[in-house]
Amino acid sequence: MRTRQGRRDLAVIALCLDLSLLMLGFAALARDRQAEEQGVSQPDPARVAAPLPPRRPSGLTPQVEPPDGKGVNEPGGAAAPSSCIRTFEERGGVVLPSGGAGAGECAIDDPVTFQQLVMQDGSRVELDSAITVRCPFALELLAWVRDDLAALASRENARIAKLSGVGGYACRARNGDTTAPISEHASGNAFDVGGLLMQDGRAVTFAGKEPLSGSTREAMQKSACQRFTTVLGPGADSSHKDHLHLDMRQRPRGFRICQWVVE
Ligand SMILES: [Zn+2]
C-alpha cells in the first residue's frame, strides 16, 4: 500500500525523467544545427550542383536579333553569326574563323573570312589565299562568282577551280601610295583577282585573250561592271594592268567607274 510520501517520490522521479528527456532533445537539436553549419561552411563537393545560368525572363523569345541584323553576344563571349553571315553560308560561302575587324579608320563592320565558295552544281571554287571582307560585299562577290562567272565559264565547257592572285581587306592607302586617300580595301569593301584556273587546267588571266572567247570575256567585264560600283582592270592604269580591282564605293548621284578594256 503506497503512502502519500511514496506517491510524492514517484511524482518527483517522473518530473526528473521528463526534464532529462527535454535536455536530450535540446542536445540533439544543437548537434543538428552544428552539423548544418559545418555543412554550409564545408560543402561536400559531390553534392554541390553546378551553378545554373540566370533564368531568362518569361515572355522573351529565345534569341532577340538587333534591328540592324548584327550578331548578338552569346554567354561566354562568342558572337553569334550575323544574319548576313548566315545568308552567306546558305548561299555557298565557307566561313572561316574571323581574321579580325581592324580598328580606327581601318575598322570593318560585320567582317567575314573565307577561302572557298560552293557553286550551284556543288563544285568548290578555292581562293589562293583566305580573305576577309565586309559581309555585304562578300555576298556580292559570291553572287558574281557563283551566278555570273561560273555560268560564263560553262559556255566554254569549263568549271572554275580557283581564283588566283586574290586580295581583300588591307589597311592601306589606294594603290599602296601613302599620300593617296585610304583604299576601299581598308574598309573590307574591295576585292582584287588576277585570274581564274579551270578544273581542266586552263588558266584565264583577265589581262590576256586566252583561253576564253571574246564574247565570254566581254560578258565577264559587263557582269563585273553591273555588280560593282568600281571596276579597274587592264587598260585603266599601270596599277591594274595585270589584275581586276572590284569595290562597292558609294559616290554622289550613283556615279560608277567601269575601266576594264577587253581586247
Ligand atoms: Zn584593289
Side-chain angles (χ1 to χ4, degrees), residues 172 185 191-192 240 243 245:
R172 62 173 169 79
H185 285 281
F191 178 66
D192 289 339
H240 300 93
H243 74 275
H245 166 96

Side-chain angles (χ1 to χ4, degrees), residues 188-241:
N189 215 23
F191 178 66
D192 289 339
V193 57
L196 310 175
L197 183 67
M198 303 302 181
Q199 284 183 8
D200 59 12
R202 283 185 280 173
V204 174
T205 59
F206 294 118
K209 294 181 181 177
E210 300 296 332
L212 302 178
S213 68
S215 65
T216 297
R217 284 184 282 116
E218 280 173 13
M220 285 185 171
Q221 186 252 29
K222 193 176 171 189
S223 71
C225 290
Q226 281 175 344
R227 285 201 183 271
F228 301 96
T229 59
T230 309
V231 176
L232 298 171
D237 56 38
S238 59
S239 299
H240 300 93
K241 63 180 186 293

Side-chain angles (χ1 to χ4, degrees), residues 26 31 33 45-46 48 53 68 81 84 95 105 124 139 144 146 148 160-161 168 198 217 229 243 250 257:
F26 277 131
R31 274 200 309 275
R33 177 163 297 176
V48 175
D68 61 2
C84 175
V95 175
E105 64 179 345
R124 287 184 178 232
L139 285 180
W144 184 57
R146 190 171 188 253
D148 299 352
I160 305 167
M198 303 302 181
R217 284 184 282 116
T229 59
H243 74 275
Q250 298 302 307
I257 293 176

Side-chain angles (χ1 to χ4, degrees), residues 82 84-89 91-95 108-117 119 127 131-147 163 168-169 187-191 227-228 246-248:
S82 68
C84 175
I85 290 177
R86 289 199 298 270
T87 302
F88 180 69
E89 288 185 298
R91 293 181 185 173
V94 181
V95 175
I108 318 183
D109 196 22
D110 203 7
V112 60
T113 301
F114 58 96
Q115 193 171 2
Q116 285 190 341
L117 303 172
M119 300 295 101
L127 285 65
I131 63 163
T132 299
V133 292
R134 280 180 66 238
C135 184
F137 184 78
L139 285 180
E140 205 61 58
L141 190 56
L142 170 63
W144 184 57
V145 175
R146 190 171 188 253
D147 302 338
L163 304 183
Y169 170 73
S187 51
N189 215 23
F191 178 66
R227 285 201 183 271
F228 301 96
L246 312 170
D247 75 45
M248 292 298 273

